[in-house]
Amino acid sequence: MPAGVMIPARNMPSMISGNGNVGGFGTSSGLTLGQPNMMEGQLHPLEMTQNTSESEIARMRDEEFDSTTKSGSENHEGASGDDQDPRPKKKRYHRHTQHQIHEMEAFFKECPHPDDKQRKELGRELGLEPLQVKFWFQNKRTQMKTQHERQENTQLRTENEKLRADNMRFREALSTASCPNCGGPTAVGQMSFDEHHLRLENARLREEIDRISAIAAKYVGKPVVNYPLLSSPMPPRPLDFGAQPGTGEMYGAGDLLRSISAPSEADKPMIIELAVAAMEELIRMAQMGEPLWMTSLDGTTSMLNEEEYIRTFPRGIGPKPTGFKCEASRETAVVIMNHINLVEILMDVHQWSTVFSGIVSKASTLDVLSTGVAGNYNGALQVMTAEFQVPSPLVPTRESYYVRYCKQHAEGTWAVVDVSLDNLRPSPTVRCRRRPSGCLIQEMPNGYSKVTWVEHVEVDDRGVHNLYKQLVSSGHAFGAKRWIATLDRQCERLASVMATNIPTGDVGVITNQDGRKSMLKLAERMVISFCAGVSASTAHTWTTLSGTGADDVRVMTRKSVDDPGRPPGIVLSAATSFWLPVSPKRVFDFLRDENSRSEWDILSNGGVVQEMAHIANGRDTGNCVSLLRVNSANSSQSNMLILQESCADPTASFVIYAPVDIVAMNVVLNGGDPDYVALLPSGFAILPDGTTASAGGIGDAGSAGSLLTVAFQILVDSVPTAKLSLGSVATVNNLIACTVERIKASLSCENA
């Protein structure tokens, strides 16, 4: 066994005499551990030392003793009672060889906690006592623990510095904030709520770091992961439903949306301040009653008292612009979806635009200022643009640039608010401003949620056609009732996608779970494509062909190239809107019924239409996806398959269909990918005409009238580079005109 060296304790006076003998130290307690013979150099049996020159001892005294290279074996020398010294006892250390250290470190990597048998075996191989091996491993584990704690402290210190910097940045922003209306300094009292909110957020972040630090301390030895304080539960995906490959200007953004970019760093403090104030306003708007909200005479709707609103919320986004009208509404419903999923849909622009495709023609996220706290959307802040629509070319879309803010107010209670940012980028083209609008979501038993929706906008509606003015001014076109009715219907649709208890007795019911999902996904894409192509978006170039008044037919063309979801070539879209003296429910039932299809569908050539399969997707029997077969009256013509979705809610209804390939549909029904099925959807959008009698909506079978939009998409040439002929335009014009006449004739006969 290698001999060790007895070294005096660091910073102690040397006790080495001229002849090299080592003097003894007495313990402070007077307990003598060993009495070596100073003259003969004999030591206690536990000591393994040898006489060493004074120069060598001095050199080794200056060496750094690491815990991994020292044995725990030590001995204390005692002196006689007469020579007891009150100074601290002297420790002697055994220094291992490089070979011993290397072998023990290699073993430590494999097994940091050796048992008695392993320690004895390792000691035998290295020429060490098992106790020496045990002490070395104890010291090594302590060293590793210290290193990990140092790394954790460094990371936590970095996080703390970032929080402190954010806190200082917010304080500076609050101290230099200016009034968005007059540009002057903001009163101190007005900032109290914002500052309080930021303090609470900062405190919550600090608590989160402390909690994670405590957890990490219990699991020493594991690397510290990135803290989920700013982790995104789901990365936002900008949506461009219209911007399909090769579709050109038809599905592009409008002038306003195209000119808007992400906010600058200087704008962000003001955006945060605006979002916090908007959240407070939304909560109060959702919960307050009279005198802020006045109930109508029939007790069915609530109307905003504008004077009371200005008194209650004096700050906001400034006074109403000249020529703008105020539209404010509030609606409440219980929907079949839990609150967490609802929040996720609202905060993910892709899901939000899909669920509300009948209202949102285009949406994108420009910037994410915050993704939330602790892995959810609480505190998420997004700068967005969106284009809101009515499914008719006679109603201009409403473009909006705004911030969306999500906050959890209590266990099971969330709120999501939008507020316009037009004050940051003043533009003469702005025709719509969103005052704090959004929804309050409260958890209900059995996976349901109570949703209170507030919609509050100021808009220049002078571009709306006279046919739709009553509907738009009543608030049913863009108001809270339409948002909440759409959400309710889509929640039922999503529930049907997940349903597993499908009755097998009904003829034509698709029970294959994968087939149901694929067919519903294909129908969803068909509806989105129809809605995005029928509105009067600023990016759509509609040309009026013929007719007078409300019966004008508007057409537009686009080229479809390299889009697997559309057939290649030149596509001609045609649409018209007109009024019918028939209730929306009767129009919907007539158009969705396959038995009456031959009365208006010219392309079926008088063939018998038969339903091959269907998927119910709502409590209303009219809400379903169907696969129809047209048995041609002419035996020389092949049969045709039609995919159709019909859906209705109290504010709008749709019957949308598209011819589909038989082979492709077989793949879809077997659970195949529906994204490669080429579709050119056509169909109908049915809205109440906005009169008092139609206030009950689609489900009301009263004598109120309906506003019907008919839209077709026809492939006029399969070569994308071909020129559009006037003959093709005339054919489509005649097709839509004949369809309109047939519908009017059939429904007027029923009404007579």
Side-chain angles (χ1 to χ4, degrees):
M1 181 178 297
V5 180
M6 290 295 295
I7 306 298
R10 190 179 297 273
N11 299 327
M12 294 294 294
S14 175
M15 298 296 295
I16 304 169
S17 61
N19 61 3
N21 290 334
V22 182
F25 286 101
T27 63
S28 58
S29 62
L31 178 63
T32 302
L33 298 179
Q35 188 81 22
N37 188 321
M38 295 298 179
M39 300 302 296
E40 297 180 5
Q42 296 176 352
L43 297 175
H44 191 277
L46 285 179
E47 297 172 352
M48 291 173 244
T49 61
Q50 62 184 11
N51 291 340
T52 310
S53 67
E54 183 174 352
S55 61
E56 184 176 356
I57 291 179
R59 176 181 60 81
M60 298 194 68
R61 177 190 304 162
D62 294 331
E63 289 183 0
E64 183 68 30
F65 292 102
D66 192 277
S67 59
T68 60
T69 60
K70 298 174 184 176
S71 166
S73 303
E74 60 183 44
N75 187 51
H76 306 280
E77 286 190 326
S80 62
D82 297 333
D83 296 325
Q84 285 184 359
D85 194 320
R87 286 176 294 183
K89 58 188 177 182
K90 174 182 175 183
K91 295 182 180 180
R92 297 182 179 183
Y93 298 100
H94 177 88
R95 189 173 185 87
H96 300 307
T97 66
Q98 288 298 323
H99 172 70
Q100 291 171 335
I101 295 171
H102 182 269
E103 291 297 321
M104 285 191 288
E105 285 183 341
F107 195 91
F108 183 86
K109 292 179 181 179
E110 300 295 329
C111 177
H113 292 274
D115 55 23
D116 290 341
K117 182 178 179 182
Q118 290 171 316
R119 288 197 296 268
K120 289 180 181 179
E121 180 66 21
L122 189 60
R124 185 183 60 79
E125 293 177 359
L126 299 179
L128 296 174
E129 294 294 329
L131 195 61
Q132 291 177 293
V133 175
K134 177 181 179 180
F135 289 155
W136 187 92
F137 273 86
Q138 285 180 348
N139 293 338
K140 184 67 174 179
R141 288 194 296 269
T142 301
Q143 183 194 45
M144 295 302 294
K145 178 179 178 180
T146 303
Q147 289 177 357
H148 283 302
E149 288 177 344
R150 190 178 299 119
Q151 292 175 359
E152 291 169 17
N153 290 338
T154 301
Q155 292 196 20
L156 291 173
R157 191 178 298 111
T158 302
E159 290 291 333
N160 201 16
E161 290 299 326
K162 288 171 63 178
L163 286 173
R164 186 176 289 107
D166 288 343
N167 196 8
M168 293 301 297
R169 183 162 56 87
F170 288 140
R171 286 176 179 271
E172 290 179 9
L174 290 171
S175 63
T176 60
S178 60
C179 176
N181 300 330
C182 64
T186 306
V188 177
Q190 291 178 310
M191 303 298 292
S192 59
F193 177 83
D194 302 331
E195 185 174 357
H196 178 65
H197 175 80
L198 291 171
R199 288 178 183 275
L200 291 178
E201 290 293 317
N202 208 341
R204 184 159 54 233
L205 290 173
R206 291 180 182 277
E207 289 175 3
E208 187 72 14
I209 285 185
D210 292 341
R211 183 181 65 83
I212 295 171
S213 173
I215 294 174
K218 296 179 181 179
Y219 299 97
V220 176
K222 296 181 180 179
V224 179
V225 298
N226 291 328
Y227 304 131
L229 293 178
L230 295 175
S231 63
S232 175
M234 182 176 291
R237 296 167 288 180
L239 177 71
D240 197 350
F241 279 124
Q244 306 291 346
T247 57
E249 278 301 302
M250 172 181 173
Y251 288 94
D255 293 336
L256 174 63
L257 300 189
R258 188 185 291 113
S259 64
I260 293 176
S261 58
S264 64
E265 288 297 324
D267 291 335
K268 291 180 180 179
M270 185 176 292
I271 292 175
I272 294 170
E273 175 197 350
L274 195 60
V276 171
M279 178 62 73
E280 180 192 15
E281 180 175 322
L282 174 73
I283 297 301
R284 296 175 67 186
M285 289 276 283
Q287 296 175 341
M288 292 175 68
E290 295 185 358
L292 183 64
W293 292 97
M294 308 297 291
T295 306
S296 61
L297 295 177
D298 58 4
T300 58
T301 58
S302 297
M303 298 174 293
L304 182 68
N305 184 336
E306 289 191 53
E307 294 181 358
E308 184 65 27
Y309 171 79
I310 294 173
R311 283 194 295 268
T312 308
F313 306 105
R315 291 183 62 205
I317 58 176
K320 181 171 63 178
T322 305
F324 279 40
K325 291 184 178 180
C326 173
E327 293 180 9
S329 55
R330 181 175 67 177
E331 201 73 26
T332 301
V334 176
V335 299
I336 182 171
M337 181 176 288
N338 77 56
H339 60 293
I340 298 299
N341 290 343
L342 279 176
V343 169
E344 182 176 318
I345 287 174
L346 294 171
M347 296 306 296
D348 178 0
V349 69
H350 177 76
Q351 295 188 62
W352 175 67
S353 302
T354 300
V355 168
F356 295 102
S357 59
I359 307 175
V360 181
S361 58
K362 184 177 179 65
S364 63
T365 300
L366 297 180
D367 197 5
V368 178
L369 305 187
S370 171
T371 55
V373 178
N376 59 43
Y377 283 109
N378 183 23
L381 206 62
Q382 304 173 0
V383 177
M384 304 174 64
T385 62
E387 188 178 62
F388 305 106
Q389 67 175 356
V390 168
S392 169
L394 302 182
V395 182
T397 55
R398 297 177 174 182
E399 299 169 297
S400 188
Y401 170 53
Y402 58 94
V403 61
R404 175 165 292 179
Y405 178 40
C406 177
K407 180 176 175 60
Q408 183 178 11
H409 289 269
E411 187 65 31
T413 301
W414 293 71
V416 178
V417 66
D418 299 343
V419 63
S420 281
L421 299 175
D422 301 311
N423 285 343
L424 299 180
R425 309 278 176 85
S427 170
T429 61
V430 172
R431 293 186 297 107
C432 176
R433 298 202 313 167
R434 288 178 71 75
R435 286 193 176 272
S437 303
C439 60
L440 180 65
I441 304 169
Q442 296 169 282
E443 182 182 13
M444 300 283 284
N446 303 320
Y448 285 77
S449 298
K450 179 183 178 182
V451 181
T452 301
W453 200 289
V454 175
E455 196 67 16
H456 189 189
V457 300
E458 293 166 343
V459 63
D460 177 6
D461 63 355
R462 287 173 290 186
V464 177
H465 194 282
N466 288 333
L467 197 62
Y468 282 84
K469 275 194 178 296
Q470 182 66 35
L471 176 67
V472 172
S473 62
S474 69
H476 289 101
F478 294 96
K481 186 173 184 178
R482 186 163 178 233
W483 285 95
I484 209 82
T486 302
L487 178 63
D488 187 24
R489 172 170 53 82
Q490 289 285 35
C491 286
E492 289 186 2
R493 191 183 196 279
L494 291 170
S496 71
V497 174
M498 307 305 296
T500 55
N501 55 341
I502 310 301
T504 57
D506 296 341
V507 178
V509 174
I510 301 175
T511 57
N512 178 5
Q513 188 71 11
D514 292 334
R516 285 172 57 87
K517 288 186 177 180
S518 293
M519 188 166 167
L520 287 170
K521 185 178 178 183
L522 180 62
E524 179 182 74
R525 176 161 66 87
M526 177 179 69
V527 172
I528 291 170
S529 176
F530 173 85
C531 292
V534 76
S535 66
S537 171
T538 53
H540 298 178
T541 306
W542 289 101
T543 303
T544 302
L545 285 185
S546 63
T548 58
D551 290 340
D552 290 343
V553 176
R554 288 164 166 77
V555 299
M556 59 182 169
T557 61
R558 56 177 166 71
K559 296 178 181 180
S560 177
V561 183
D562 298 331
D563 183 359
R566 299 176 185 272
I570 296 179
V571 177
L572 182 63
S573 299
T576 188
S577 298
F578 57 96
W579 179 78
L580 284 170
V582 184
S583 70
K585 178 172 175 55
R586 288 182 62 189
V587 178
F588 174 68
D589 290 338
F590 169 74
L591 293 173
R592 74 175 180 84
D593 188 359
E594 69 272 13
N595 295 319
S596 60
R597 190 181 188 96
S598 60
E599 296 182 34
W600 58 264
D601 190 0
I602 298 173
L603 298 180
S604 64
N605 293 323
V608 178
V609 181
Q610 179 184 3
E611 183 180 74
M612 301 297 297
H614 74 272
I615 302 173
N617 58 10
R619 56 178 176 263
D620 192 311
T621 55
N623 289 358
C624 68
V625 176
S626 306
L627 189 61
L628 309 176
R629 182 174 66 188
V630 180
N631 299 312
S632 176
N634 188 345
S635 59
S636 63
Q637 293 181 340
S638 59
N639 294 336
M640 178 172 57
L641 281 184
I642 295 176
L643 177 67
Q644 174 178 294
E645 173 155 357
S646 57
C647 53
D649 61 52
T651 61
S653 62
F654 298 88
V655 178
I656 302 169
Y657 61 92
V660 289
D661 181 69
I662 295 177
V663 176
M665 280 310 301
N666 281 330
V667 173
V668 170
L669 291 174
N670 288 322
D673 186 0
D675 290 341
Y676 294 94
V677 179
L679 290 176
L680 279 181
S682 301
F684 308 93
I686 310 158
L687 300 173
D689 62 7
T691 59
T692 306
S694 67
I698 302 301
D700 188 4
S703 60
S706 304
L707 296 172
L708 177 62
T709 297
V710 182
F712 287 108
Q713 293 189 73
I714 306 293
L715 184 69
V716 295
D717 200 313
S718 59
V719 180
T721 56
K723 292 184 178 180
L724 181 66
S725 67
L726 292 178
S728 299
V729 176
T731 300
V732 173
N733 185 29
N734 291 333
L735 172 65
I736 199 168
C738 291
T739 303
V740 169
E741 289 303 318
R742 287 191 175 195
I743 292 172
K744 286 182 176 180
S746 298
L747 289 174
S748 63
C749 290
E750 285 187 13
N751 201 37

